[in-house]
Amino acid sequence: MRRASDPLQLTGTVDVQQLELPEHVAAPLDARLELAGTVGTVTSPLVVWRGWTLRDVNARIAWDAAGFRLDPAQAQLAGGVLTGAVTWARSAAGRMHPEGWVKLRGADVNELSATRLPEGRVTGVVEAEGSFDGAAGLSAINADLDLAVVEGAFVALPVAALAAESLGLPPALWERWPFRNLAGHVKVRAGRLQVDSLRIEQEGILWRAAGSIGPGGDLDLAGSLIADPTRIRLPAAIEVLARTVADDGGRIPVDFALDGPATSARLRFDWDEFSRRVAERARDRQGERLEQILEDTVKDPEVLQRLRDVLKKKP
């Protein structure tokens, strides 16, 4: 007689057609299971989960009295390859929950994000890897991921258009703003994306940010912008000072905060702190020559006086 603690032994092939599943599996599932004792393989041509379409799903399955495991598992996702492993284990409370790891290579970020952005899109090739834990069920998965998107662009994305406009960039960049690299470490907690570190490299511009993004796209981010002063629009007085340190790269960070709904976010730059940093750098670089340089350069008396006021502020 088989004891309750013994794993169930199964041998044979099972073809499943048009199986309806809960937990965000949108399309009826076709699958094949080939079983031998406590191990086997499961394959499916198509699985639609949470709006993502996985093709050519293939996994080794093993089980015992405590639960079962898919390891290794592989599928095609958004033109890339998704690999990983997942274990459904029984908790002390008797509830089954999944945990495991995933790795994604060469996927189209536009396809992955198309159904998740309120407006606009992001293009590029994404790579990501990390772990996940669904202790509260599939509807409340927690995840920790390292991700990178290369050679992409923000296309008709309201928050990117706001940033480009605020920095005085050409209108063409409001519509499509390329980036070389977007990388960071993110966490998913209760449906909210927590950004521990985000780095976006664009031509002459580097963004660093941290904060969180809500399920509906509400933003709560802060960080710094480091830019070539010749590429962005600066307040008039600060621009003159920035030119005096151009030979030092002019790459002085300006702090920013970004919050509100993604479609109508608020972006604020701390130009007061930026001007203090610029003035400090200018004094270090130009010394006693600085005021004479400004008098020779600035013809507007009001701007010149504002510059003098900035320079009087000690760090």
Side-chain angles (χ1 to χ4, degrees), residues 110-280:
N110 180 45
E111 185 175 336
L112 289 174
S113 62
T115 61
R116 287 163 171 78
L117 294 175
E119 289 184 26
R121 57 194 178 94
V122 180
T123 67
V125 178
V126 62
E127 297 191 354
E129 62 180 288
S131 60
F132 61 89
D133 178 3
L138 279 173
S139 60
I141 280 182
N142 294 328
D144 290 76
L145 298 169
D146 291 304
L147 62 86
V149 183
V150 296
E151 300 302 331
F154 303 113
V155 181
L157 196 66
V159 66
L162 170 66
E165 182 180 7
S166 299
L167 294 174
L169 299 179
L173 295 181
W174 306 0
E175 182 65 24
R176 186 182 188 278
W177 198 3
F179 60 83
R180 286 193 293 268
N181 185 56
L182 182 158
H185 180 78
V186 299
K187 300 176 182 178
V188 180
R189 297 290 186 270
R192 191 169 187 89
L193 190 66
Q194 297 180 2
V195 182
D196 287 346
S197 60
L198 179 65
R199 179 186 175 97
I200 304 173
E201 298 178 25
Q202 299 174 289
E203 186 177 355
I205 296 174
L206 171 63
W207 301 85
R208 291 192 178 99
S212 66
I213 304 173
D218 56 300
L219 305 170
D220 184 11
L221 297 168
S224 64
L225 163 71
I226 302 176
D228 179 344
T230 64
R231 288 193 54 81
I232 65 174
R233 180 184 61 210
L234 298 172
I238 303 175
E239 183 179 11
V240 175
L241 276 178
R243 285 203 299 266
T244 69
V245 296
D247 61 333
D248 195 29
R251 304 297 180 93
I252 301 173
V254 54
D255 298 331
F256 71 87
L258 178 66
D259 54 43
T263 55
S264 57
R266 297 176 296 274
L267 176 62
R268 300 178 301 281
F269 292 104
D270 189 346
W271 293 119
D272 288 341
E273 176 61 17
F274 178 76
S275 65
R276 186 198 66 76
R277 292 170 180 168
V278 171
E280 181 180 358

Side-chain angles (χ1 to χ4, degrees), residues 37-48:
T38 60
V39 297
T41 60
V42 56
T43 59
S44 176
L46 180 71
V47 177
V48 181

